[in-house]
Amino acid sequence: MRSASDREGGCSQHVKLIDALQLARGAVAQTAPESRIFLACGFTPLHLQTFLTAELRVLFPDRRISVKTGLFGDLCGNIERLERDAIDSLIVVMEWGDLDPRLAIRTLGGWQASLMPDIVESAARTATRLQNGLLGISRPVPTVVCMPTLPLPPMFSTSPNQAGSAEIQLRHTVASLTESLSHEPNLRIANGQYLDEVSPLGGRYDVKSDVLSGFPYSLPHASAVAEVLSRLVHNRPPRKGLITDLDDTLWSGIVGEDGVDGISWHLDRHSLMHGLYQQFLASLAGAGLLIGVASKNDSAMVERAFTRGDLLLSKNDVFPIEAHWAPKSESVRRILKTWNVGADSVVFIDDSPMEVAEVKAAFPEMECTVFPRSDYQDVWNLLKHLRELFGKPALTSDDAIRLRSIREAGAWRDASQSAESAPEEFLKAAEARILFETAKPVGDGRAFELVNKTNQFNLNGKRFSESEWSNFFRDPDAFVLAVSYKDKFGPLGKIAVIMGTNHNRVVRINGWVMSCRAFSRRIEHQCLNYLFGTLGADEIVFEYQSTPRNGPLQEFFAELLGETPKEGMRLSREQFAARVPPLFHGVEGTVHV
């Protein structure tokens, strides 16, 4: 059985059924939390259910995995009858026979040409019904959908190498359904192109198994589908940053030897793959990925190179740029400090195997890759692998300002350090504004991302699955606050999330995270001030746990409480009022708790 790290790397080796059975039946502690998965499909789930359970066991090793299924031949009904409170995630696997039984071979409904218009219309009606059912259930329940993966039956009057009108209309119905569902924030769709790569079309359909048992998949295809769907349920957080070399990596040539005009990334110079790499990094930067440069080079030459108008990666997309002659590992260390992220969240790419080895030795947890400058296919495969590492379900408004906010955080640090003799005056002049909003269980990807990616200011290090996140909102006493910040240096976007319950004027905080970009601005004090004021709390109880990485949060509480923080610590309104420093933020927002 593959490990979780194999899956994160896009491994497409198929699992053997005997291994999946062994893992699916493996003992799990009865005290472990349960993940309740509903597999909705119209065919007999059989081995797909086994493979799914096994894959989910690997991805969620600390959970009891329960995969339930519905009635044979009733995909729409299985979805419509679901009780949203009874499941944590929904997996929907659709095949052509679910749109109309005549598109499957176990129902003999006739394939005459005269019936084709009726089959097409019937499929369109079922697609509308499926769309309505999925829209209703996916808003409260995280949902994963796999569109038809098997070939249509040989029922059309045209030859196999010609697509006829009815066949095209059926594919259009599925494409339209897919497009409409793709806009739903709590619904993810399996990528058909990816499945085509890991499971060739000719080896997917097992006719004998379909006829005798109602299970239409070959074992390799069932394994491939289960892997893709389980990874979508898992929804691994993407990596945060990429550090790249320049010479013979971002561009072809050595800028110090060939000159600024001598480097290239163009088709006519046989260096197009460097241009594709630039183009890909620019797309990642636009999606909020941090891009940094570590280059052994003359900084003035690098500065001039980034002024070239045909460079596909703008200098505004890159920060910081470390261009000097010191070891690459020193450059990487400084970049990580500037970003304030862990090495395990970053990828390093360089054309020199020696430089890659040197950085890897300094940061064993970092993925370090040699740029394959002389192999076109390997560059293409590298771009696909990077998509696997950095891809995210959807973009948020905060993604667009992430790099700018890190630059501005540096400006804040520089300005605040120069004002150390009068920090109160500096904070007062910062023109800071804080917005408190009620977070949403669906469509607030940034809040969910903060909770699962923030480490240093994190109350207890707890991570949430999507189902746990959704379920938290169902408690009538629960609240989830999203906190946004801006000042005269610029906006930071959403930088904190506070989760808890409010009962009889006692607030219990289950989770509290804050981005490292927001440190040293007394935002954490204003958060507590807001809880006491808006929620009318007399006391706040914190479900605190020490973690190896939440030192900044520990320091904050030690200073506020005058003692080392401990599990179940409490803070009264009077204690806070006696210790809170002056706060100068403008506060906005109305929350419903």
Side-chain angles (χ1 to χ4, degrees):
M1 192 73 188
R2 290 159 293 159
S3 66
S5 60
D6 290 332
R7 286 162 177 69
E8 290 184 2
C11 177
S12 59
Q13 268 187 327
H14 300 308
V15 177
K16 293 181 179 179
L17 180 60
I18 189 170
D19 295 330
L21 283 167
Q22 183 177 4
L23 188 59
R25 294 170 180 171
V28 180
Q30 288 300 311
T31 56
E34 182 181 20
S35 287
R36 303 165 301 172
I37 314 293
F38 189 88
L39 170 60
C41 58
F43 53 84
T44 303
L46 201 59
H47 304 312
L48 179 61
Q49 184 177 6
T50 302
F51 282 119
L52 266 174
T53 304
E55 295 280 355
L56 291 167
R57 281 275 181 89
V58 172
L59 293 171
F60 298 98
D62 57 345
R63 294 179 176 275
R64 291 180 293 123
I65 302 298
S66 169
V67 179
K68 304 295 184 182
T69 61
L71 298 177
F72 178 85
D74 190 14
L75 177 62
C76 290
N78 288 333
I79 295 171
E80 292 166 347
R81 287 188 296 269
L82 281 175
E83 296 181 11
R84 62 186 64 180
D85 293 334
I87 62 173
D88 298 312
S89 297
L90 169 64
I91 296 175
V92 178
V93 181
M94 184 191 316
E95 288 301 342
W96 292 106
D98 296 314
L99 295 175
D100 186 286
R102 291 167 288 186
L103 297 175
I105 67 172
R106 298 184 95 235
T107 300
L108 301 177
W111 287 352
Q112 296 96 321
S114 60
L115 294 176
M116 290 303 157
D118 182 65
I119 292 175
V120 169
E121 290 180 12
S122 171
R125 289 194 301 270
T126 304
T128 299
R129 184 181 170 191
L130 279 170
Q131 177 179 338
N132 293 334
L134 287 170
L135 292 180
I137 193 66
S138 69
R139 283 160 187 167
V141 177
T143 299
V144 170
V145 176
C146 184
M147 294 298 175
T149 62
L150 298 178
L152 281 162
M155 58 187 292
F156 306 101
S157 59
T158 55
S159 64
N161 59 10
Q162 178 184 348
S165 175
E167 186 175 1
I168 291 173
Q169 289 180 75
L170 288 169
R171 296 191 183 280
H172 176 73
T173 293
V174 170
S176 297
L177 174 61
T178 307
E179 193 278 332
S180 65
L181 295 177
S182 69
H183 300 288
E184 290 302 301
N186 213 29
L187 186 151
R188 287 184 291 279
I189 300 172
N191 190 331
Q193 179 173 305
Y194 180 84
L195 268 170
D196 289 343
E197 293 181 4
V198 299
S199 180
L201 186 62
R204 295 179 179 181
Y205 188 35
D206 188 328
V207 178
K208 180 178 180 180
S209 176
D210 191 9
V211 171
L212 297 182
S213 69
F215 182 67
Y217 291 170
S218 67
L219 291 181
H221 184 55
S223 173
V225 171
E227 179 196 351
V228 171
L229 295 176
S230 63
R231 288 166 64 187
L232 288 173
V233 171
H234 184 232
N235 194 24
R236 172 187 53 82
R239 305 286 177 92
K240 296 179 180 179
L242 184 148
I243 301 172
T244 184
D245 178 41
L246 297 178
D247 293 337
D248 283 332
T249 302
L250 193 69
W251 51 62
S252 176
I254 301 173
V255 68
E257 297 178 4
D258 301 318
V260 171
D261 295 329
I263 56 176
S264 67
W265 46 88
H266 306 103
L267 186 62
D268 59 352
R269 299 280 297 274
H270 305 290
S271 54
L272 178 70
M273 302 311 286
H274 296 275
L276 290 179
Y277 178 59
Q278 288 181 25
Q279 184 170 269
F280 186 78
L281 294 192
S283 73
L284 292 178
L289 180 73
L290 303 174
I291 307 290
V293 164
S295 174
K296 286 185 176 178
N297 237 313
D298 178 85
S299 59
M301 293 289 286
V302 169
E303 184 75 21
R304 286 180 53 206
F306 270 95
T307 65
R308 278 188 50 166
D310 57 343
L311 194 69
L312 297 170
L313 181 68
S314 165
K315 186 181 178 183
N316 292 330
D317 293 330
V318 181
F319 181 78
I321 296 176
E322 290 277 342
H324 44 67
W325 303 105
K328 290 285 180 77
S329 59
E330 292 185 14
S331 296
V332 169
R333 195 178 308 278
R334 280 192 287 269
I335 293 171
L336 294 177
K337 184 177 180 180
T338 298
W339 290 346
N340 203 4
V341 301
D344 58 344
S345 297
V346 174
V347 175
F348 174 74
I349 299 179
D350 195 300
D351 71 296
S352 167
M354 185 174 69
E355 301 286 13
V356 168
E358 192 260 334
V359 172
K360 184 67 175 178
F363 303 97
E365 64 274 39
M366 181 181 293
E367 179 165 333
C368 301
T369 301
V370 176
F371 185 82
R373 54 179 175 158
S374 59
D375 192 311
Y376 290 82
Q377 187 63 47
D378 279 355
V379 173
W380 177 254
N381 293 337
L382 172 62
L383 300 187
K384 290 167 59 180
H385 177 61
L386 293 178
R387 181 186 177 187
E388 174 74 23
L389 296 178
F390 295 112
K392 56 182 64 177
L395 300 182
T396 68
S397 58
D398 288 270
D399 292 323
I401 66 171
R402 182 165 291 125
L403 182 59
R404 186 176 65 176
S405 69
I406 287 179
R407 292 180 191 267
E408 288 157 354
W412 170 279
R413 284 193 300 270
D414 294 341
S416 61
Q417 288 169 5
S418 65
E420 283 183 355
S421 59
E424 306 292 331
E425 292 301 316
F426 173 75
L427 291 170
K428 188 175 182 179
E431 302 173 12
R433 306 291 298 178
I434 297 180
L435 172 64
F436 291 87
E437 299 175 283
T438 300
K440 301 175 183 177
V442 178
D444 199 345
R446 174 58 178 163
F448 181 64
E449 178 186 75
L450 270 172
V451 168
N452 280 338
K453 291 175 65 175
T454 305
N455 293 303
Q456 296 183 63
F457 196 98
N458 189 317
L459 185 64
N460 46 36
K462 184 176 181 181
R463 306 305 192 195
F464 289 82
S465 67
E466 286 180 301
S467 58
E468 289 173 325
W469 175 257
S470 298
N471 288 338
F472 190 85
F473 288 82
R474 297 178 185 176
D475 184 342
D477 290 331
F479 65 88
V480 181
L481 301 182
V483 185
S484 301
Y485 175 91
K486 63 180 178 180
D487 57 34
K488 69 179 184 180
F489 295 92
L492 298 186
K494 281 195 180 104
I495 46 80
V497 176
I498 309 168
M499 307 174 63
T501 57
N502 183 21
H503 186 66
N504 290 337
R505 301 180 68 86
V506 175
V507 170
R508 178 174 292 274
I509 302 300
N510 310 100
W512 185 13
V513 300
M514 187 172 72
S515 169
C516 56
R517 291 179 284 154
F519 287 178
S520 305
R521 308 184 194 214
R522 297 183 182 171
I523 298 171
E524 55 271 49
H525 298 88
Q526 191 64 267
C527 287
L528 295 178
N529 189 52
Y530 194 79
L531 291 177
F532 280 116
T534 301
L535 274 64
D538 293 328
E539 186 178 49
I540 301 177
V541 183
F542 300 90
E543 292 189 2
Y544 164 79
Q545 289 287 335
S546 173
T547 76
R549 301 179 68 177
N550 67 357
L553 178 130
Q554 296 176 37
E555 293 172 7
F556 165 70
F557 274 114
E559 181 178 349
L560 184 64
L561 298 172
E563 61 181 9
T564 302
K566 57 187 177 182
E567 185 176 350
M569 59 190 173
R570 296 170 176 265
L571 179 68
S572 69
R573 180 190 295 268
E574 291 74 20
Q575 286 177 303
F576 178 69
R579 291 181 176 270
V580 63
L583 303 178
F584 305 104
H585 320 91
V587 177
E588 306 172 22
T590 301
V591 298
H592 304 285
V593 295

